[in-house]
Amino acid sequence: MLLKSVKSWMLLVLVVLTQQVYATEGMWLPQLLSNLNEKEMKGMGMKISASDIYNINKGSLKDAIVSFGGFCTAEVISSQGLLLTNHHCGYDAIQKHSSLEHNYLDNGFWARTAAEELPNPGLTATFIVRIDDITKAATQNVKAGMTEKERQSVIDKQLAIIKKEVKKESWQDVMIKPFFEGNKYYLFVTETYKDVRLVGAPPSSIGKFGSDTDNWVWPRHTGDFSMFRIYAGKDGKPAPYSQDNVPLKPKYFLPISMKGVKKDDFTMVMGFPGRTTEYLPSEAVKQTVEVLDFSKVEMRDAALKIWDGYMRKNEQIKIQYAAKYASTANAWKKWQGEMLGVKKTDGIAKKQRYEANYNQLLNANPALKQQYAGVLDTLNELYIKINPYAQARDYYNELVKNTEILTAVDKLIALADDAESQGAGQYNTLRDKFMESMKAFYQNYNAGVDKDVFISLMDIYAAKVPANFRSARFNSSWASFTDSRKLADQVYATSNLTSYDKLAAVMQQPQQAALATLAKDPAVQLAIVLREGFREKVAPTLNALQLDINNRQRTYMQAQMDVFAGKKNFYPDANSTLRVTYGKVDGYSPADGVQYDYYTWLDGVMEKYIPGDYEFDVPAKLIELYKNKDYGKYGVNGKMPVCFIASNHTTGGNSGSPALNANGQLIGLNFDRTWEGTMSDINYDPSICRNIMVDIRYVLFIVDKFAGCKRLVDEMKLVN
Ligand code: ARG
Ligand code: ASP
């Protein structure tokens, strides 16, 4: 008996120890690694040191990583400023250069010489020069008892002073961001290059292989990469586009490992994750997955089903709705994975246990108890209070976002508002710009499709949003229609917003006449009545509660850090700043009886191949290379690796981030997460949270053997 309990005690210690070794949660600030993470990273197998990752005195890994256009990450992989990022990150740029004669999305694009590299006005690459902790200076005038508004105003005044006085070169910029819900402030000195040219992209049948069906899914077989190049002025400094610009000589670029990875190998991902909320109380997690995700998915289910039905039957509609479908489905699928993952890992109970632990420690410490008494309970209560308002907001937002005629009215209202605020003289310019954007809008618009979406979503809105959260005018007009089909018939038969030509005819009239006509438009009237409901019945309470929540969330954040001081390291939620995350190569079990491997191969591409399919077609050249096993130096024992997964904690914005091995060499390119693990934004769990990367050898194989663009591989530094 005693032996048995000693044994189980030892087992427990072992479990706790291995859990410590595998503490892969966290998006860490690169300048704090030496204090917080270096020991653990080395324990997990890292061979380099924290100062090789972030160093302001010599070139380090951070000098090879850029924020790509502010929405993705990219990395420098040659001494000539060559950039690697995802195909889905370069997508807009590739699309803009595409035409019927040169369909780079379908056929790929490869600049055979530097002269063929294509400029992309507006696309930027931003390096982080230095990160400073400015919390003290930023918050020095904050006094206890200040309201949220007063507090923000004294901080903003300080930030303005700090920004003005910061030491930096003339071509550098400064950015300041709050961390830990505003408990800390960091300043970033940055360098933004504005001449970023497209160098290469595989065809979508490689770069987007599997498309929406495989999105967020493992096993995955997508070669999700594209290449760009940073150009600088002759002095090496950022410069606007010019033919005379030269390829950037970077402070550092990533060497590329040809060795691949195996199970349990250390991996690290550096990049610019966008947004996470890891420190919410349990009621907020519950609300996210049980109420808000559910409502948003419900609305998008309905819209996507209708779009899909039309897209399958009609080629024209397929082209018009493909991009809308992809972006709407991306979040829709992610939310479903989030609900599933939290359920599967019992995420709410996990939060509740964490809170019980927090309360126990808090109550054992009189000073902290006095300082933070009731903070967590109040926060949980506030989330319960805000719940119906947040749900009504999400139903309303999804209704307007997915019913295109309502989106069009929103744009129209924005035009009217702008015209009013900018003065009568500006109207014609504003209107022309508006009509320009509406031209693009209607190019991808089909009123019949939209009418069906309208019917479906209005029914859900009317059924799910209680009458006291809708405007009185909506309630009375809704009561006069027996169902949404009758309302839709009226709106779509008479509205001027169902086509570009009808709208253009109205907008040709002088400002007052045009606005008077539109004010009588049934789509406009309905949109205004819906908006009124949100503005008057939902927003006031929602916003007041949210302000209160934000304030207390900051206190709760500090409370967690104080209560668990010495027991747990904290990382700040993602906020589009440079972070390091690390983990291990490993498969996972998505369901009872199912075990996923951590690698996929070109064989899997061929297994999924459906000739002519828009998601699963495979280019003839790739099939030929596969048949001949013509993999050059990139294959492994006659097989071609494609993707792999690991337990790095990533989120949206990490797309295009480099995956690095223990030596800081490039082994892959991050582009997605597994479906069951998308909950990592609110509840990271090492058992099922995995990031998906494309193997760098597949990238090189496509560039060299498939595209024959060896000049690019030649400028890289490959290590065996
Ligand atoms: N799920 C990935 C992300 O959130 C990739 C999205 C692009 N791919 C797609 N098939 N829509 O960005
Ligand atoms: N696909 C995401 C991105 O584009 C990455 C993720 O959410 O894991 O940033």
Side-chain angles (χ1 to χ4, degrees), residues 87-88 91 203-224 312 325-326 329-330 332-333 604-610 612-619 622 642-643 671-672 692 698:
H87 186 265
H88 79 261
Y91 200 85
S204 291
S205 51
I206 291 173
K208 209 187 165 184
F209 182 74
S211 197
D212 295 318
T213 300
D214 268 11
N215 190 23
W216 299 115
V217 166
W218 181 255
R220 190 67 157 274
H221 298 87
T222 315
D224 195 346
R312 282 183 191 280
Y325 189 95
N330 193 39
W332 164 78
K333 206 162 175 182
V605 173
M606 296 311 297
E607 281 170 12
K608 287 179 176 172
Y609 172 41
I610 305 173
D613 185 72
Y614 83 103
E615 295 190 306
F616 292 102
D617 203 6
V618 178
L622 188 58
V642 176
C643 292
F671 69 98
D672 209 2
I692 307 180
Y698 189 54

Side-chain angles (χ1 to χ4, degrees), residues 490-540:
Q490 195 217 47
V491 169
Y492 286 80
T494 54
S495 173
N496 285 305
L497 288 161
T498 52
S499 78
Y500 178 80
D501 290 344
K502 276 197 228 162
L503 181 62
V506 178
M507 296 305 283
Q508 260 174 10
Q509 303 169 24
Q511 181 177 2
Q512 292 317 322
L515 293 184
T517 307
L518 287 167
K520 283 185 275 170
D521 191 283
V524 175
Q525 286 184 342
L526 178 67
I528 286 175
V529 156
L530 287 164
R531 183 189 263 243
E532 207 170 81
F534 175 72
R535 291 243 167 127
E536 289 168 14
K537 304 288 185 63
V538 180

